[in-house]
C-alpha cells in the first residue's frame, strides 16, 4: 500500500493524510506544489487564464479541501 504523487497531487496527499485519515504505508512525493493556491496561480499564469478563472479554481479547491489548507 503506497502512493506516488507529482505536482498538485503531491500537495493533495499530505492534506488527505492530515485531514481525512488517508494512511498509505509509504508515500513518494515528486516535486509537490507548495500549496494549492500557489499551484493555481502558477498554472493560471502559465496557460494564460484570466484572473476570474483562477479565482474560480481557487474556490473549487477551497470547497474540496477547506480554507485551513491555505495556511499549511
Amino acid at each position: 500500500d503506497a502512493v506516488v504523487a507529482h505536482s498538485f497531487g503531491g500537495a493533495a496527499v499530505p492534506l488527505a493524510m492530515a485531514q481525512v485519515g488517508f494512511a498509505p504505508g509509504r508515500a513518494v512525493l515528486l516535486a509537490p506544489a507548495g500549496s494549492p493556491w500557489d499551484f493555481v496561480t502558477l498554472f493560471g499564469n502559465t496557460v494564460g487564464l484570466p484572473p476570474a478563472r483562477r479565482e474560480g479554481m481557487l474556490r473549487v479547491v477551497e470547497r474540496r479541501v477547506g480554507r485551513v489548507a491555505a495556511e499549511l
Side-chain angles (χ1 to χ4, degrees), residues 28-66:
V28 177
L29 308 177
L30 304 169
S35 78
W37 290 260
D38 293 342
F39 176 82
V40 167
T41 299
L42 178 61
F43 175 79
N45 289 339
T46 300
V47 300
L49 287 179
R53 293 287 181 207
R54 288 194 302 265
E55 290 299 318
M57 286 180 69
L58 290 172
R59 284 193 300 276
V60 169
V61 170
E62 287 180 358
R63 275 196 307 269
R64 292 187 179 193
V65 302

